[in-house]
Amino acid sequence: MAAYTEEAREAELSRLMTQYGDSIKRLCYVYLHSLSAAEDAAQDTFIKSFQHIDELLDGSIANEKAWILRIAINTCKDELRSSWMRHIDKRTEIDVLPLSVSFDTDSHIDLTRAVWALPVKYRELVLLYYYQDLNLRTCSNILGISPSTATRRLQQAQKKLRTSLEGG
């Protein structure tokens, strides 16, 4: 493992923040239902990634997007398990979503509501596959499940969404 200068490590972090900052904040918002909590979680994600930035610079990490999204998901899950989050009202109206997350048309609002109504194991996969444009193999690696399980869950999520959007 090579020793990298502080400037090289900070430059890599800056690149990650520029490249993935919005995606991570949106992902965190979907988990936490609060813009301020999402911003805090995104910041924590980058702090945690900086602690392991040498591995990224070494090339030890095959897929940096999958790596940083996994850190973000784990950070959000840790936040949700905290005692503070148990006392917060997590209901969110679609109208108050940040502009980068909300959509103009009613069909997009209905779709977003339907995705949020999915059980977590389906919602995570839908968000990674459709909203983050990751392939199923990468999604399965991030979620720690087999590719066949990811495929099955995605099919089940699509079926649930279809049923929900068609009205039963």
Side-chain angles (χ1 to χ4, degrees):
M1 191 175 201
Y4 294 97
T5 65
E6 198 63 27
E7 292 81 24
R9 297 173 82 229
E10 288 175 5
E12 184 67 8
L13 178 65
S14 179
R15 183 189 67 77
L16 289 173
M17 291 172 73
T18 301
Q19 188 167 351
Y20 301 113
D22 289 339
S23 295
I24 288 173
K25 187 163 58 170
R26 283 194 304 269
L27 181 69
C28 292
Y29 183 85
V30 170
Y31 270 91
L32 303 173
H33 302 287
S34 163
L35 187 56
S36 61
E39 289 171 345
D40 290 346
Q43 185 176 13
D44 288 346
T45 297
F46 288 113
I47 289 169
K48 291 174 183 178
S49 65
F50 186 71
Q51 293 168 347
H52 298 279
I53 203 107
D54 288 344
E55 296 169 30
L56 185 63
L57 291 169
D58 280 345
S60 303
I61 296 168
N63 186 333
E64 72 180 24
K65 185 174 185 178
W67 172 71
I68 201 157
L69 289 175
R70 180 76 255 166
I71 293 171
I73 289 169
N74 287 337
T75 300
C76 291
K77 286 181 176 182
D78 289 346
E79 185 66 25
L80 288 170
R81 282 190 290 266
S82 73
S83 61
W84 171 253
M85 287 299 282
R86 290 187 196 130
H87 301 290
I88 294 177
D89 182 9
K90 296 179 189 89
R91 291 173 296 183
T92 303
E93 292 300 319
I94 223 71
D95 316 351
V96 299
L97 288 173
L99 288 177
S100 58
V101 177
S102 65
F103 302 99
D104 296 335
T105 65
D106 289 338
S107 64
H108 282 108
I109 291 172
D110 292 341
L111 177 61
T112 302
R113 283 188 177 132
V115 169
W116 281 13
L118 289 172
V120 173
K121 67 181 184 180
Y122 299 126
R123 184 173 58 228
E124 287 177 333
L125 190 56
V126 167
L127 291 172
L128 292 172
Y129 186 76
Y130 289 109
Y131 291 85
Q132 297 293 335
D133 293 322
L134 297 174
N135 62 44
L136 275 174
R137 182 166 297 284
T138 304
C139 292
S140 67
N141 288 339
I142 290 172
L143 297 173
I145 58 177
S146 70
S148 61
T149 300
T151 301
R152 186 173 30 80
R153 281 188 188 173
L154 187 60
Q155 291 169 345
Q156 291 169 341
Q158 290 167 338
K159 184 178 178 183
K160 288 180 180 294
L161 287 171
R162 197 174 301 114
T163 302
S164 172
L165 293 172
E166 291 173 354

